[in-house]
Structure formats: structure tokens, C-alpha cells
Amino acid sequence: MVYNAPDPGFGAPDGAESSEERRRIMERYQIQHPFLLYAGNIRRHKNVPRLVEAFAVVREQLASHPVYGDLRLVIIGDTLSQFPAVRQTVIRSRVEHVVRFLGFVPFETLRCFYQSAAAFVFPSRYEGFGLPPLEAMACGTPVVTSNVSSLPEVVGDAAVLVNPENVFDIVRGIRDVLLDEPLRADLIRRGREQASRFSWSRTARQVLEIYQEAASMGD
């Protein structure tokens, strides 16, 4: 099988200049609190309403936590106006003031959000591949994602896997990643290693080998 790969820019070293740029971007978007991140479209199979519900539970449970007491959720991708079910879930969960929908953002901004997030949460029900978790891993961000479809194969042992149909299992995964410091450190290390296993040069080489094999069969 030939896999996709994250843009190599996600794994670029974060020097002093890029750290300053990250600070400016966070200020521009007025991000001043720890946040969970989701990036991708928000169509039905992406399971964003359950993510919102899980976030609301985690936020309530950690209300007195010294670091995550004012946890936020940032969603980057489609415009919210096209998805009334997501808007209704935000309102029903009473988290309108702490959930941000940013729509599409430039590459450097997305990279900055990946790097700055407390965790990347991707509870999709189905993925043909699933690049966003690898992009987050390349940026050194711990990942919570689904235990179904292609995602376990993509993330290997470098993410916390959850049942996307169970809000409280998503809650469990988020809490583990936020509160278990040894686990966080291990996920960050394993995540970078896992993301490095996927590269466009390797993908191109595999595609070329397939064409060469097909050409030789026709001779």
C-alpha cells in the first residue's frame, strides 16, 4: 500500500524566529488559554458534535485544575454556518464562549496551532488515510484519535485510541493525554518518530516502483 505523508514543513525545527512568529499568531487570534485542537472538515463522519460534547465534560471536570481550569477548544476547517448540527451541539453543551471556529487558515498558522495545542483530538468515524494526526505528531503534539478505520494503522502506538461512538471514552482519552505527564512525554517522542516514517519521497518511490512493475508485465 502507498501512503500519504505530512508536509515536511510540519516537522521543521522551531527556532527562535519561529517561536516569535508563533507568539505573534497566538496574539493575533487572541489565544491566551490552553486549548484542544481539531483540524479538518466538519462533515458528519468527522464526529465533531461528539468532540464538542466530550470537551464540555472535560472542561467541567477540570474546572479547578491549575493548568487546564479554563480549557478551550479550537476547530480549524470548514465554516460553521454549513453545519447546523455542530452549532446546536455547542449551544446545547453551553460552551459557545470557549469554542472557536476559525475556518481555513494559512499553512504557517495551522502549524503554529498544532505546536501550541495541549492536545490534538480527532475522533473521526472513518478515514481513507487521516493526515491531521500525523501533522500534529510531526509538530510534537500528543494525539487522541479513533480506534476504527485506517487511524490505528496510521498512528501506530503513538496516540491514545478511543471509541468515537462513546463520548466518555473520548473524555477518558483527553484526560489521560492532559494529566499523565509521562504519557504526554512518551506520546510526543513516539509521535515524532511515527510521523517521520511517512515521507513524500518514499511515497513517490513506491509509486514509481508500481509503474515500473506494471510496465514490465506488459513487455
Side-chain angles (χ1 to χ4, degrees):
M1 180 177 291
V2 178
Y3 292 105
N4 289 333
D7 188 304
F10 286 116
D14 190 21
E17 184 176 330
S18 55
S19 295
E20 177 61 22
E21 176 64 14
R22 192 199 311 185
R23 185 189 63 79
R24 286 197 295 268
I25 289 173
M26 290 294 100
E27 286 183 352
R28 185 186 315 149
Y29 284 90
Q30 298 181 322
I31 304 295
Q32 302 166 339
H33 303 280
F35 64 93
L36 305 176
L37 178 66
Y38 170 87
N41 66 61
I42 54 178
R43 291 194 290 271
R44 185 173 180 179
H45 71 279
K46 296 294 188 177
N47 210 24
V48 174
R50 278 205 177 91
L51 167 59
V52 171
E53 291 170 356
F55 163 71
V57 174
V58 171
R59 180 176 162 81
E60 183 176 359
Q61 291 179 350
L62 300 184
S64 60
H65 192 274
V67 176
Y68 301 114
D70 197 2
L71 188 66
R72 308 298 174 96
L73 174 62
V74 174
I75 296 175
I76 292 176
D78 291 335
T79 55
L80 179 60
S81 60
Q82 301 174 25
F83 302 94
V86 177
R87 181 190 295 275
Q88 290 164 8
T89 302
V90 170
I91 294 171
R92 187 174 63 251
S93 301
R94 299 181 180 178
V95 288
E96 306 102 299
H97 61 300
V98 288
V99 178
R100 293 277 301 277
F101 290 85
L102 300 184
F104 293 98
V105 299
F107 174 85
E108 285 301 327
T109 300
L110 176 59
R111 178 174 179 258
C112 173
F113 273 92
Y114 274 134
Q115 292 173 328
S116 303
F120 181 74
V121 189
F122 195 76
S124 178
R125 293 192 186 95
Y126 173 79
E127 292 295 321
F129 180 69
L131 266 180
L134 283 181
E135 293 171 348
M137 288 177 174
C139 291
T141 300
V143 170
V144 178
T145 193
S146 302
N147 61 5
V148 299
S149 190
S150 63
L151 289 164
E153 183 178 0
V154 169
V155 301
D157 64 354
V160 171
L161 298 180
V162 298
N163 178 355
E165 305 297 339
N166 187 321
V167 168
F168 291 100
D169 200 40
I170 301 172
V171 169
R172 185 267 309 169
I174 294 171
R175 284 179 56 94
D176 286 351
V177 164
L178 293 181
L179 303 180
D180 187 334
E181 287 299 332
L183 175 64
R184 283 183 66 81
D186 194 40
L187 290 176
I188 290 169
R189 177 184 61 80
R190 291 186 187 186
R192 290 190 187 277
E193 292 174 356
Q194 181 70 5
S196 71
R197 295 190 176 105
F198 298 82
S199 71
W200 282 114
S201 60
R202 183 177 303 167
T203 298
R205 187 168 60 250
Q206 290 173 330
V207 170
L208 179 60
E209 289 171 356
I210 290 171
Y211 278 120
Q212 290 173 335
E213 182 179 348
S216 67
M217 292 173 64
D219 292 340

